[in-house]
Structure formats: C-alpha cells, structure tokens
Amino acid sequence: MSFIETDEQKALREAVAKLAAKYNFRDYAGPKARKGEPFDELWDEAGKLGFLGVNLPEEYGGGGAGIYELALVQEELAAQGCGLLLMVVSPAICGTIITKYGTEAQKQHWLTKLADGSGKMVFGITEPDAGSNSHKITTTARKDGEDWILNGRKIYISGVDQAEAVLIVARTENAKTGNLQPALFIVPTDAPGFVKTKQEMDIIEPDNQFTLFLDDVRLPATALVGQEDAAIAQLFAGLNPERIMGAAMAIGMGRYAIDRAVTYAKERAVWKGVPIGAHQGISHPLAQVKIELELAKVMMQKAAFLYDSGDDFGAAEAANMAKYAAAEASIKALDQAIQTHGGAGLTSDVGLAGMLAASRIARVAPVSREMILNFVAQHSLGLPRSY
C-alpha cells in the first residue's frame, strides 16, 4: 500500500480540478445552491468526461478503476466548493451494489447510465421509526404471482426529483418462519403508488430531500437486485463506499475553506501593514486544521485502498474512522476560515457562512458520529455493545 499516487491518479486529479475551477463556488455552485438548483451542467460535463463512472466496470462504460478514484473526483470537486452529493448515492452506492449483485440486464441498463451520468439512481433506506437501526425497517415487499408489491415510507432521501429510480431497502416475509428479511428493489420514480414529498430544510443546498410513500407499488420480478434473502451483505456492500465518499466531500470542503482563509490572511493587513497571517493567533489555528484535514485524508485513502483490495472488514473500520475525522476537520476548517475573515466571514460576498450548515451534514449523515463511536468501541476496541 502506498500513498504516493500513480501518474494516472495524478492526471485524474489535475483534470477534475480543472473542471471544478470552471464550476467553482463563487461563480457557479454558490448561486445555484442558494436558488435550490442542482448542479446539472457540472453533472453532465463530469459524466461526459468519464469522471462519474470512474469506479464502474469498463464493459458498461465505466473507467474500470475503484472507489479510490471516485473519492478523488469528489474531493477535487468539493475543493472548489462544487462537490456532488449524488455521486455518493448514484455511482458509489447504487453502482457498486448493482455491479456486485445485479443481473446482466440490470447492469446493461443501469450501469451504462450511471457511468456517463445520463441516468441517476438514489438510495432509500432511512425510515421515520428506524433511523440508524436498519434492522427495524418496516417497508415490506410481498410476492403477488411473479410481481412484488411494496408498501412503506422513507425519509431524508436525497435527489429523488433528479432520479429515474430509487434503490429501495424493503423486507420480504419468509413463508416458513414469518420473519421479515431485507431485500433491495429498483423502484422507478414514476411508478403508480410512488409518492414523493419535498422536505423543507434550513440549509443552503442544491439537492432536495424527500419523504417517500409507497402504496401498493407493483414491480416486476426483474426489479429485485440480488437474492431476496441476502440483502444484508448486499446492503453493506454499498455502505463503505458511502462513508468513503462522504469523507472525500468533507475533506474537499475543508480544503476549500482553508484555501480561502489563507488567501485572505496573506492579503489582509491591519497592524503596521503586516498581513494578519503573520500573527500566530491566525496562523496556528489554520495550521492545526491543515494537519487534521491531512490526517483525515490519509485514513480516507487507507479505507479506499482496503475496499478496492477486497478487505471489507478492514475497510469498514477505516471508512468509519475516515468519515468521523473528515467531518470534524471539515467543520473546524470552515469555522476557522470564517473566523479568519472576521465580520466579513459572515457576509454573502465571502460566501463561507452559507456553507457552514451544509458542512454540518457530515456529522449526521450518512451515519452519525455517535454510531461511528459505537462501531469503533465494539469492533476496534472489543468493548461490549451498547445498543
């Protein structure tokens, strides 16, 4: 394992950074986010350049690389303030699950669209009464001849208005035992009985959140992904990439904040013409955050490497740690960048304060920091399970 990136990875970083500069926060992403408009132009161009499907198999139009490269793309976009939330769910979660467990027909239909960005699929697991406890999911799927009938409710599902389908986590009933078992279904967003309701959020974000209602949604047998009684393994196949991508987005956002703060600290002079960056009260906090971001990035790279090499358990530990560290460092970086600007840091001209609530998402999604601490306490330290 090496943290020295290959020439191909360095070239990918350079190419993505060039694209991201074109769609930077001040000129493009910020104004779009304030209007609640998705980054369609960026998504389309990134798809045409092959960035969105860099982790997907070449035979379906992808780049044939791994989650490491997809996280690299996300980090460089976020470092210009234009990270793409739906990269976390469309190519990372859904693309990974379909690659590993989908039928050939599902791969031909969906992976080609996810690879070039011409289609989006989002992920539906969270429920009002389940939250982090995926074992309490109540959305059910029952057989009706060859078809499946889905009923249930999902909450905090991102980007449904942009997607062709949602990969829904439901539960089937084992006829022998009566126990409910998890299963994954591709549900078209225009399916009869599928209703989405936008949730009003108090943050500046380009992507909307939705509550979903599934009322006798009828699906063909071909909507089932993988085995109807094996979705625990299938479900968790997408969660490590989700955490890695979340870490990448947080790290990129932290880089953006620090870059803005450093630029200002070099230019702003208050006392005797000396730039404020010369003062340790400014420079030391920025240096500390830089260190913490780099440490988080190393853990993210480790997680991506382990995942791509097939070490699922090792990747789970590292991915959780990376997501935790990246969230904390990103929030701290943005807060310190605002502080460096003083009162100007709260103005819309600077644009940093508007990102603060968005950066806060990393502490609660896709998994809360408390659940990560539970995981580390139980699996890394061997302490008794507390929940």
Side-chain angles (χ1 to χ4, degrees):
M1 179 178 178
S2 173
F3 294 115
I4 299 174
E5 294 186 343
T6 65
D7 290 340
E8 290 80 6
Q9 290 167 335
K10 292 176 182 177
L12 179 59
R13 276 196 188 276
E14 184 178 346
V16 176
K18 183 178 180 181
L19 174 67
K22 178 180 174 182
Y23 292 98
N24 66 82
F25 184 81
R26 299 187 75 173
D27 298 327
Y28 173 82
K32 293 277 284 187
R34 290 183 184 279
K35 291 186 286 186
E37 297 177 356
F39 301 161
D40 290 337
E41 298 84 0
L42 171 58
W43 182 275
D44 291 343
E45 189 165 352
K48 290 175 183 176
L49 292 171
F51 297 154
L52 300 180
V54 69
N55 65 308
L56 300 177
E58 290 182 280
E59 58 265 39
Y60 303 106
I67 289 298
Y68 188 105
E69 285 74 18
L70 191 66
L72 180 159
V73 172
Q74 180 74 292
E75 181 192 340
E76 291 302 323
L77 291 174
Q80 291 288 341
C82 55
L84 292 168
L85 175 62
L86 292 197
M87 277 186 66
V88 179
V89 289
S90 196
I93 301 177
C94 299
T96 296
I97 290 173
I98 292 174
T99 296
K100 288 190 172 186
Y101 300 104
T103 64
E104 183 59 31
Q106 288 170 341
K107 292 176 183 178
Q108 289 286 352
H109 179 80
W110 284 108
L111 293 184
T112 53
K113 291 185 174 185
L114 301 186
D116 66 10
S118 60
K120 298 175 185 174
M121 181 185 293
V122 296
F123 187 61
I125 181 172
T126 307
E127 296 185 359
D129 298 322
S132 298
N133 188 356
S134 58
H135 298 282
K136 288 184 63 179
I137 286 173
T138 59
T139 297
T140 57
R142 61 177 175 85
K143 272 288 190 65
D144 184 33
E146 293 297 314
D147 292 345
W148 290 94
I149 307 294
L150 268 62
N151 282 281
R153 183 182 174 195
K154 300 291 181 180
I155 197 169
Y156 303 129
I157 310 304
S158 305
V160 182
D161 53 340
Q162 303 174 54
E164 289 184 44
V166 184
L167 185 59
I168 290 287
V169 182
R171 296 172 76 89
T172 63
E173 185 173 301
N174 185 316
K176 295 180 180 179
T177 66
N179 293 330
L180 290 173
Q181 300 175 315
L184 297 167
F185 296 89
I186 298 173
V187 181
T189 53
D190 61 356
F194 179 94
V195 177
K196 63 181 187 295
T197 301
K198 180 181 173 182
Q199 296 177 250
E200 293 300 325
M201 308 296 288
D202 201 21
I203 58 176
I204 298 172
E205 270 288 292
D207 304 297
N208 295 317
Q209 305 292 313
F210 291 87
T211 297
L212 305 182
F213 300 91
L214 296 94
D215 185 13
D216 284 339
V217 176
R218 180 176 291 273
L219 301 171
T222 54
L224 176 68
V225 178
Q227 301 298 314
E228 63 184 77
D229 59 353
I232 284 291
Q234 295 165 193
L235 170 61
F236 284 97
L239 297 189
N240 284 336
E242 179 185 39
R243 283 153 174 71
I244 294 167
M245 291 295 290
M249 193 165 185
I251 290 165
M253 191 179 297
R255 284 177 51 193
Y256 174 82
I258 290 297
D259 287 346
R260 293 291 306 279
V262 168
T263 298
Y264 184 78
K266 289 178 179 178
E267 298 172 349
R268 175 68 167 165
V270 178
W271 306 108
K272 299 179 181 179
V274 178
I276 61 173
H279 305 305
Q280 292 177 352
I282 297 294
S283 64
H284 280 191
L286 294 176
Q288 183 180 7
V289 171
K290 169 66 174 176
I291 292 170
E292 292 172 7
L293 281 170
E294 290 298 325
L295 291 172
K297 182 174 178 177
V298 169
M299 184 56 77
M300 178 193 71
Q301 290 173 312
K302 177 182 178 180
F305 178 88
L306 291 171
Y307 182 82
D308 289 337
S309 65
D311 184 355
D312 290 339
F313 184 78
E317 179 186 59
N320 276 287
M321 289 181 175
K323 189 269 180 187
Y324 178 97
E328 298 304 307
S330 177
I331 294 169
K332 189 173 180 179
L334 193 52
D335 184 68
Q336 191 58 47
I338 293 170
Q339 191 69 20
T340 301
H341 282 79
L346 300 175
T347 65
S348 58
D349 288 341
V350 171
L352 289 169
M355 297 178 70
L356 192 55
S359 74
R360 189 63 175 74
I361 295 172
R363 271 192 183 152
V364 297
V367 60
S368 72
R369 64 179 179 179
E370 289 75 20
M371 288 304 298
I372 289 177
L373 293 174
N374 282 335
F375 179 94
V376 172
Q378 179 184 348
H379 295 286
S380 302
L381 301 179
L383 295 172
R385 180 169 176 166
S386 63
Y387 60 97

